[in-house]
Amino acid sequence: MREDLLPPKEPPRRHLISIADLQREDVERLLATARSFERSLERELKKLPTLRGKTVVNVFYESSTRTSSSFELAAKRLSADTMSIKSSSSSVDKGESLKDTAITLGAYDPDVIVIRHPQIGAPRLVARVTEAHVVNAGDGKHQHPTQALLDLYAMREAFGRLDGLHVAIVGDVAHSRVARSLVQALRLVGADAVIVGPPALLPEALAPASHDIATIADADVVYVLRMQRERMLQGANFVPSLREYTAHWGITPERLRPGQRVMHPGPINRGVEIDARVANSA
Ligand code: CP
């Protein structure tokens, strides 16, 4: 049959698993789309029909407040049907593997599966065994791409640009998927990052590193990370004590200069990596 008489082909199935899979134009398109959705929140009727008739399944195998609630609300605001599954109240408790859980959920023919999992590579496994578009909401210490996109969005809103921005990422970078995604995302848009903290908490080769907290003075954005103890090996001591960590690396008003912006992906530990006066400030 002639090509032009055939029904239109489905666009290829796309996922959002790693910032490394994106080009700058993908990032620009996503930020522009997010901006149009944000504008719609200024209206009295906040719901858009964008995902009407689509099903979004959120599967969270790790604790989450911000990411799980924002995915659920976003899908509802875009008129999708949503289903949320937490590992603590699912058949994972009865020994079901991720693959079998994914196959079961895939049988409902969802359009999107959003997954957070402690194991690196879990979202790719879900993409292999289902027909859904898969969004990575955090896999181990590997990637958290939507957090990085959200951070770029917030930075552009604050500074009106991304090109040339200088970001200091301070704290437990070694266990941070947020930092891995953010460093890649900043490079894609012409910004740069320095990682700052005690040597044991800075991975080699991610970005230029500094063990001097005074380095943050050069940054437009001071991006603060908490100690991710849930991903540290049991018994490992990365810093002599939290008190010492706070004294050397905690972000206090005295360590900041006017015009700098402080960001934190949450959850925050007030009084540890960030002084309450900074956390409460504008
Ligand atoms: N930023 C972030 O991933 O927070 P949650 O762990 O609460 O989802």
Side-chain angles (χ1 to χ4, degrees):
M1 194 187 292
R2 273 171 43 197
E3 184 82 9
D4 56 341
L5 295 177
L6 291 169
K9 281 194 186 122
E10 283 272 307
R13 189 165 57 117
R14 294 202 68 186
H15 309 293
L16 179 52
I17 292 179
S18 170
I19 293 290
D21 299 333
L22 301 180
Q23 307 292 324
R24 178 159 189 168
E25 56 264 29
D26 297 317
V27 173
E28 293 296 347
R29 196 181 60 251
L30 286 162
L31 296 186
T33 309
R35 175 175 275 267
S36 73
F37 289 150
E38 191 189 10
R39 291 278 139 78
S40 74
L41 297 179
E42 289 159 14
R43 303 182 325 192
E44 204 178 332
L45 187 63
K46 295 181 173 30
K47 217 157 171 140
L48 292 174
T50 317
L51 293 181
R52 191 155 51 203
K54 306 286 184 195
T55 304
V56 177
V57 178
N58 297 310
V59 195
F60 277 71
Y61 280 74
E62 267 187 6
S63 308
S64 170
T65 300
R66 193 203 60 72
T67 311
S68 61
S69 55
S70 54
F71 266 109
E72 182 146 356
L73 190 58
K76 286 193 159 87
R77 290 244 166 101
L78 296 178
S79 305
D81 295 317
T82 61
M83 188 159 71
S84 293
I85 291 156
K86 309 244 183 260
S87 61
S88 55
S89 54
S90 72
S91 288
V92 171
D93 272 359
K94 302 173 191 165
E96 187 171 71
S97 69
L98 170 63
K99 183 175 173 184
D100 287 329
T101 301
I103 289 170
T104 301
L105 296 173
Y108 303 134
D109 202 18
D111 298 281
V112 180
I113 295 180
V114 178
I115 176 151
R116 168 170 289 190
H117 199 282
Q119 274 171 12
I120 293 171
R124 293 223 188 268
L125 186 147
V126 175
R128 269 202 307 278
V129 301
T130 72
E131 295 298 314
H133 300 265
V134 175
V135 179
N136 182 1
D139 62 329
K141 58 181 185 180
H142 177 226
Q143 282 278 318
H144 195 344
T146 61
Q147 177 71 53
L149 291 166
L150 176 63
D151 293 333
L152 293 187
Y153 187 85
M155 287 180 207
R156 183 177 274 172
E157 289 292 297
F159 291 93
R161 67 187 167 95
L162 291 170
D163 266 304
L165 276 189
H166 181 54
V167 180
I169 304 176
V170 186
D172 178 8
V173 182
H175 300 95
S176 174
R177 54 194 175 208
V178 169
R180 277 175 186 75
S181 291
L182 184 58
V183 167
Q184 289 175 338
L186 289 168
R187 283 197 188 121
L188 263 187
V189 298
D192 73 84
V194 59
I195 53 177
V196 184
L201 291 177
L202 301 187
E204 279 175 27
L206 179 67
S210 168
H211 307 136
D212 180 0
I213 190 66
T215 310
I216 67 171
D218 297 334
D220 301 299
V221 176
V222 178
Y223 194 98
V224 192
L225 298 171
R226 73 185 167 91
M227 291 281 179
Q228 289 133 99
R229 288 184 227 216
E230 72 277 20
R231 286 195 274 280
M232 292 179 186
L233 287 176
Q234 241 183 356
N237 281 326
F238 290 89
V239 289
S241 70
L242 278 189
R243 186 195 288 252
E244 213 160 309
Y245 177 85
T246 304
H248 278 95
W249 308 102
I251 301 303
T252 60
E254 294 76 23
R255 288 184 167 147
L256 296 168
R257 61 168 173 76
Q260 282 183 312
R261 299 293 180 126
V262 178
M263 296 176 69
H264 193 310
I268 71 172
N269 293 149
R270 269 163 212 266
V272 182
E273 73 275 8
I274 187 166
D275 188 286
R277 291 168 294 165
V278 177
N280 294 338
S281 73

